[in-house]
Amino acid sequence: MTQSSLSNWPPYNFSAGPAMLPKAVMDKAQQEFTDWHGTGLSVMDFSHRGKDFLSIAEKAEADLRELMAIPEHYKVLFCSGGASFQFATVPMNLLRNKAVYVDTGIWGKKAIAEASKYGDVSVISALEQENGLTSIQSESRWRLPDSFDYLHFTTNETIGGIEFPETPGVAKGRLVADMSSNILSQPINVEDFSVIYAGAQKNIGPAGLSIVIVREDVLENSVPEYVPSLMQYKLMAENDSMYNTPPTYSWYLAGLVFDWIKQQGGVAEMAKRAEQRSSMLYSFIDNSRFYSNPNLSKFRSRMNIPFILADESLNEKFLFEAESCGLCYLKGHRSVGGMRASLYNAMPIAGVEALIEFMQAFEQRNA
Ligand SMILES: *Cc1c(COP(=O)(O)O)cnc(C)c1O
């Protein structure tokens, strides 16, 4: 395989976030950009209280409810501030006496650091090594305090590439999950959770928006006086996420993504594709001596696949050549090094095929 025959791909964006959106969504947004549905106006400058934006907002919520089978007694909030904002918002609304946080990587640690500012946090350090591979400690070995308000975990650790294969069985109904990097990639049972939150920029839409799904009884918690209005779930819910001006354009784009997922066949179809994409890349990596992934297969993320080269001095060359072939943002997180390919819902199979073809050719030239 020569360099030139590898360079005909459209650019594929393997960034961990902000990540690629479906091409069809981009095209639709472009089409509607200056004239939404014959109004002659852009969604960008609709009043958030006008009927046009309200119809966009309501459809986005209805589609998300349908996709995730969100029961009536859960509210859906469209918030600004990203997932990190929720690291503080969750304890402010839910932490009264003690909360349990499961640490499976960098995002979990950040959530722990933030929650610890507001109350008593009991940490389960759940990452372990098994035969040199990273895995998640079995929940039967988690040491839980006698009583706690909620158990927080990160369904997919975007940086380490570690994903819970299923929802933990402990504390069902009292789970709080950061689903930023794998929301809408598989069916889940919302009723296992008190709160689900996700920053939008991986599987939903542009950065800055986050989605919060919160069970109604949680809204009855009294919140401390100091909690900013915009961080009170109850107030946000009472105002349909429009206590202040919401991130309207991001909300609209998220709605286009939800609609696209529905058209593709819903979350079950997203799960099928995620499985297909990730198993193609993992099996290529496992069959090569040149590339490796540090995680035990049961806990490997379907969304973010870190890998290292046997000869790390080739990293820069790998990234430079990949980029020149249209394979973008493969550099690993600065805390991990190596490479990382993020394969979110919007990544077509052809993107993974292109990556594998490139990796194979790179190995042949450099091994
Ligand atoms: C990206 C990410 C975040 C941070 O999101 P921000 O919008 O930058 O605050 C938090 N948690 C996980 C799991 C993520 O992947």
Side-chain angles (χ1 to χ4, degrees), residues 81-108:
S84 303
F85 202 71
Q86 296 302 320
F87 291 167
T89 312
V90 162
M92 284 185 186
N93 284 270
L94 277 78
L95 179 48
R96 291 296 160 269
N97 297 306
K98 189 189 272 288
V100 178
Y101 275 68
V102 182
D103 171 3
T104 52
I106 289 172
W107 289 115

Side-chain angles (χ1 to χ4, degrees), residues 46-119:
F46 280 160
S47 160
H48 57 295
R49 311 216 183 266
K51 67 171 176 13
D52 292 323
F53 186 73
L54 288 181
S55 74
I56 289 170
E58 280 162 18
K59 178 168 166 22
E61 179 178 336
D63 285 347
L64 180 64
R65 283 184 175 277
E66 184 183 329
L67 284 169
M68 292 183 70
I70 301 172
E72 281 290 311
H73 61 293
Y74 283 77
K75 294 283 187 196
V76 176
L77 308 177
F78 290 78
C79 302
S80 47
S84 303
F85 202 71
Q86 296 302 320
F87 291 167
T89 312
V90 162
M92 284 185 186
N93 284 270
L94 277 78
L95 179 48
R96 291 296 160 269
N97 297 306
K98 189 189 272 288
V100 178
Y101 275 68
V102 182
D103 171 3
T104 52
I106 289 172
W107 289 115
K109 283 186 174 56
K110 289 202 167 179
I112 290 165
E114 195 68 25
S116 303
K117 296 181 185 173
Y118 305 104

Side-chain angles (χ1 to χ4, degrees), residues 48-277:
H48 57 295
R49 311 216 183 266
K51 67 171 176 13
D52 292 323
F53 186 73
L54 288 181
S55 74
I56 289 170
E58 280 162 18
K59 178 168 166 22
E61 179 178 336
D63 285 347
L64 180 64
R65 283 184 175 277
E66 184 183 329
L67 284 169
M68 292 183 70
I70 301 172
E72 281 290 311
H73 61 293
Y74 283 77
K75 294 283 187 196
V76 176
L77 308 177
F78 290 78
C79 302
S80 47
S84 303
F85 202 71
Q86 296 302 320
F87 291 167
T89 312
V90 162
M92 284 185 186
N93 284 270
L94 277 78
L95 179 48
R96 291 296 160 269
N97 297 306
K98 189 189 272 288
V100 178
Y101 275 68
V102 182
D103 171 3
T104 52
I106 289 172
W107 289 115
K109 283 186 174 56
K110 289 202 167 179
I112 290 165
E114 195 68 25
S116 303
K117 296 181 185 173
Y118 305 104
D120 189 359
V121 168
S122 166
V123 176
I124 296 171
S125 300
L127 275 191
E128 3 178 83
Q129 297 293 317
E130 213 174 304
N131 304 322
L133 296 171
T134 304
S135 65
I136 299 178
Q137 182 183 60
S138 148
E139 53 179 279
S140 63
R141 291 171 44 219
W142 293 0
R143 307 237 321 260
L144 298 172
D146 291 336
S147 75
F148 54 92
D149 300 307
Y150 61 92
L151 182 144
H152 179 284
F153 71 111
T154 313
T155 49
N156 180 64
E157 277 286 357
T158 321
I159 294 170
I162 287 276
E163 188 173 21
F164 276 87
E166 54 205 24
T167 303
V170 296
K172 280 223 162 117
R174 273 191 300 163
L175 296 171
V176 174
D178 175 1
M179 291 195 188
S180 296
S181 51
N182 69 353
I183 192 166
L184 293 168
S185 72
Q186 62 191 349
I188 54 142
N189 180 13
V190 172
E191 287 190 281
D192 293 339
F193 301 86
S194 302
V195 177
I196 292 169
Y197 64 92
Q201 69 272 32
K202 282 96 187 205
N203 260 340
I204 293 175
L209 172 74
S210 51
I211 303 286
V212 179
I213 301 165
V214 51
R215 202 175 52 228
E216 268 169 5
D217 63 274
V218 172
L219 305 176
E220 298 316 315
N221 290 352
S222 64
V223 295
E225 196 97 6
Y226 64 77
V227 175
S229 304
L230 283 171
M231 297 174 85
Q232 297 180 16
Y233 287 147
K234 185 171 188 203
L235 202 64
M236 286 295 281
E238 282 169 355
N239 288 278
D240 298 322
S241 310
M242 297 190 192
Y243 182 79
N244 72 331
T245 315
T248 50
Y249 198 74
S250 302
W251 192 329
Y252 155 75
L253 279 177
L256 294 186
V257 171
F258 300 153
D259 193 53
W260 176 82
I261 296 175
K262 274 175 60 181
Q263 285 171 30
Q264 303 301 303
V267 170
E269 176 64 22
M270 294 299 111
K272 215 171 91 190
R273 293 183 192 177
E275 188 59 43
Q276 196 186 350
R277 279 189 301 260

